[in-house]
Amino acid sequence: MHNFDFVRPSTLAEATAAMQAEGAQALGGGQTLMPVMKQRLAAPDTLVSLAGIAEMIGVCEKDGALVIGGATTHAQVASDAASMYPALAALAGMIGDPAVRSRGTVGGSLANNDPAACYPAGALGSGATITTNTREISSDNFSTGMFDTALEEGEIITSVAFPIPEKASYQKFEQPASRFALVGVYVAKFADGVRVAVTGASEGGVFRWSAAEAALSGNFSAEAIEGLSPEASGMITDLHGSGAYRAHLIGILTKRAVAAAH
């Protein structure tokens, strides 16, 4: 690992100022960034830690949405959101292991946008709004590809508002070594329709499965999507599974999510 400066601001204003420096990189829990730096795939000049910014930590319900601070750990979401948004709390509780959940953060996960991460599916499936130090971004416009987002240079995720649905469930088929999703499906039923978000499967990253959404919005039951599966083209093929296998898993996990949401 190369030499770098470390800054630990105590306020968002201080963090925003620190991020203006050339070569500055925001640091959430470091669960992705640290291994990447050790492999010399990233070499920031300055790490700006967000862990000590109190205004970016916490979970609360506001105007029908669960609002989570960007520096809130997965472990805190799993415990504090359980009574307000059980499906999202369950998602947080499935991430990695206790060590990862105690350090990894919501903002860090979304900003990294790993194609097999859980939170991108939870955000997109919920129709979340990502708030940064400069603006608000709809989850429908946030992911722009594998490991790529709409975030601009120096932008920090300060909080995320997840609208609370009538029913929801997240089902994940884990890659056992990494505990990332080989495929993960988040289903959320709202008064005006159903959202289905898929992670771990597509070469383009997290996506909404529109055919399943249309079927489930008319009939929210596993039977409504019987025999339905997305096209295998564009799905990830690697040593863990083919694109066709992942496409098949999407259908299976979506049915499981619908059944669990009931």
Side-chain angles (χ1 to χ4, degrees):
M1 188 181 290
H2 68 287
N3 293 328
F4 57 87
D5 294 326
F6 183 79
V7 180
R8 188 179 172 87
S10 58
T11 68
L12 178 58
E14 291 175 357
T16 299
M19 286 293 292
Q20 302 309 307
E22 185 175 353
Q25 170 71 52
L27 174 67
Q31 300 305 291
T32 297
L33 183 58
M34 290 294 101
V36 167
M37 289 176 63
K38 287 179 180 179
Q39 296 172 35
R40 297 186 178 274
L41 298 176
D45 296 320
T46 303
L47 289 183
V48 181
S49 174
L50 307 178
I53 302 177
E55 60 195 290
M56 288 178 55
I57 300 172
V59 179
C60 68
E61 186 175 349
K62 182 180 180 181
D63 299 328
L66 184 75
V67 181
I68 304 175
T72 308
T73 64
H74 310 318
Q76 185 173 350
V77 175
S79 62
D80 293 3
S83 63
M84 295 177 279
Y85 194 162
L88 195 67
L91 176 150
M94 294 182 199
I95 297 173
D97 55 27
V100 169
R101 293 192 291 273
S102 69
R103 294 294 302 173
T105 65
V106 175
S109 176
L110 290 174
N112 186 58
N113 200 31
D114 189 295
C118 299
Y119 261 112
L124 187 59
S126 300
T129 298
I130 295 93
T131 299
T132 75
N133 54 322
T134 61
R135 58 178 172 151
E136 293 184 347
I137 309 170
S138 165
S139 59
D140 285 318
N141 301 319
F142 184 75
S143 176
T144 55
M146 191 179 291
F147 295 107
D148 198 15
T149 72
L151 292 174
E152 297 176 351
E153 194 78 21
E155 208 165 0
I156 299 170
I157 295 176
T158 58
S159 66
V160 186
F162 297 82
I164 300 173
E166 297 173 352
K167 300 175 182 179
S169 176
Y170 177 60
Q171 298 292 313
K172 177 169 74 167
F173 190 90
E174 287 187 349
Q175 198 287 320
S178 68
R179 299 189 182 178
F180 274 97
L182 190 65
V183 173
V185 178
Y186 199 95
V187 174
K189 181 183 184 298
F190 294 90
D192 59 352
V194 176
R195 295 174 69 97
V196 179
V198 181
T199 190
S202 172
E203 294 173 349
V206 65
F207 70 96
R208 288 175 63 182
W209 185 15
S210 57
E213 291 179 342
L216 292 169
S217 292
N219 175 16
F220 192 67
S221 70
E223 290 73 22
I225 54 171
E226 187 67 42
L228 195 64
S229 64
E231 291 291 330
S233 60
M235 297 296 173
I236 297 170
T237 292
D238 57 19
L239 75 165
H240 304 300
S242 66
Y245 178 62
R246 282 181 164 86
H248 176 70
L249 273 179
I250 292 170
I252 297 296
L253 292 176
T254 302
K255 286 192 287 185
R256 290 181 183 176
V258 172
H262 278 294

